Amino acid sequence: MEIKKQTSLHGEITVPGDKSISHRAVMFGSLADGTTRITHFLNGADCLSTISCFRKMGIKITQKDSEILVHGKGLHGLCAPDSILDVGNSGTTTRLISGILAGQNFVSELNGDASIQTRPMKRIMTPLLSMGADIISIQDNGCAPLRITGRPLHAVHYNSPVASAQVKSCVLLAGMYADGITSVTEPVLSRNHTEIMLNYFGADVTSRGTTASIHPNPVLEAREINVPGDISSAAYFIAVGLLTPGSEILIRNVGINPTRDGILRVCRNMGADITLMNVSHDGEPTADLLVRTSSLHGTTVEGDIIPALIDEIPMIAVMAAFAEGTTIIKDAQELKVKESDRIEVMTENLKRMGADIEATDDGMIIRGGVPLHGAVIDSHLDHRIAMSFAVAGTICDGPMMIEGAECVNISYPEFYQDLYRLGK
Ligand code: S3P
């Protein structure tokens, strides 16, 4: 797909619902008693994979645009699926659902696309095995396909070597089927949507520092969930608003949970003009973001902030290439095991645009202010790579071509329409 340059963006935009929250709403709604109504649900391919897995396990889920009704059957109401559960491209579906499946009284198999079959699953197999689960990687390579034979689980305290909300959530969900209080400690606090939402459904989850604990056998009750706009999707509009001369964009109703708002903190460190309006703390915190063109400078992104912006690093790297001065991104080894190796893929593609960028073991060093031009970008079918370079393409000179551009379907099906809607 060819991306066209745009000048001065104005107007309002509402980005689709948060991907992490949409997944969890379907999962927890399925395990609750009664009908959970979800509004502003993300209709992206990843969340649709979660819906299809729960339908296969006997949960009735109806959908009208972005409104979903999940007819939950309680904690022990899932049925054995009669075929493989297809998780598509979705790491969140795979890792969270594994925690649930480990405690059922049936056997299930999970598989997905070529990317999911390369993503590390040992990180969830290790804690689940320590709880007494029976989970195997069918090719014995630590990746999907996985076979899970549900059985009674033991409560554990798991010290996770990675700050991963998917690992933490997997263990907490398995903990609902365990024989005591299960807890997880992570090196740095990762997104806490599972803890917030499970409590909202009636579970007893406590958080202290970087440790979260859950009591077993909760009675979950159906709820109403209005999913906030995804800050990871808003990131592209923040960037395009900051970088396109003469722009002012209002992004409505964005989730600003402090475990996710690293992008706002980094943009401000780079000199961004972003004003938060209509801040609400009812459940997941939200705000409208007013973004105005700013001249950006380099920064260092490292340490505890990384999990709060891990999915936004491709966009940050592009902003850094357009900014003056040097940006250093470190402590972000996790980028290597996302939908693509995002250190390698960002470096390769930014170099094609003429950027001065160097890959490191745990991040990138970007020397900004070098003139950038359009290029042929290989998205590696990674939605966040495609969207980050689409933003770059609306700002730089010369033709910009994105290969595999349709992969935005994973998290933001209407992305290109929305991107062009704000231009003159
Ligand atoms: C997610 C957690 C993060 C994030 C992913 C969604 C979640 O992954 O990158 O897009 O919904 O829990 P990790 O837990 O692997 O860091």
Side-chain angles (χ1 to χ4, degrees), residues 18-21 23-24 92 95-96 119 123 163-169 190-191 193-194 232 260 307 310-311 334 337-339 342 383-384:
D18 187 277
K19 182 154 81 70
S20 296
I21 296 177
H23 279 297
R24 287 158 171 81
T92 308
R95 297 199 178 106
L96 270 61
R119 297 190 62 191
R123 54 179 57 199
S164 160
Q166 294 180 358
V167 171
K168 170 174 65 179
S169 303
S190 65
R191 64 191 67 191
H193 307 302
T194 294
S232 299
R260 293 285 300 283
I310 189 72
D311 292 340
E334 279 293 299
V337 291
K338 294 295 176 187
E339 286 84 330
R342 289 181 178 162
H383 54 135
R384 305 218 181 273

Side-chain angles (χ1 to χ4, degrees), residues 4 6 16 41 101 140 171 216 246 253 306 319 335 374:
K4 293 184 190 66
Q6 299 212 89
F41 178 80
L101 294 173
D140 202 17
V171 177
N253 189 36
I306 296 293
M319 284 196 286
L335 291 175

Side-chain angles (χ1 to χ4, degrees), residues 171-191:
V171 177
L172 293 174
L173 291 169
M176 298 197 297
Y177 299 93
D179 57 4
I181 297 174
T182 295
S183 49
V184 190
T185 300
E186 43 186 353
V188 177
L189 186 65
S190 65
R191 64 191 67 191

Side-chain angles (χ1 to χ4, degrees), residues 21 42 67 73 129 159 213 257 292 358 362 367 422-423:
I21 296 177
L42 168 61
E67 184 178 317
K73 300 214 284 189
L129 290 169
N159 262 313
S213 310
N257 180 318
R292 295 195 186 93
E358 193 183 311
D362 63 350
R367 294 175 197 88
L422 297 169

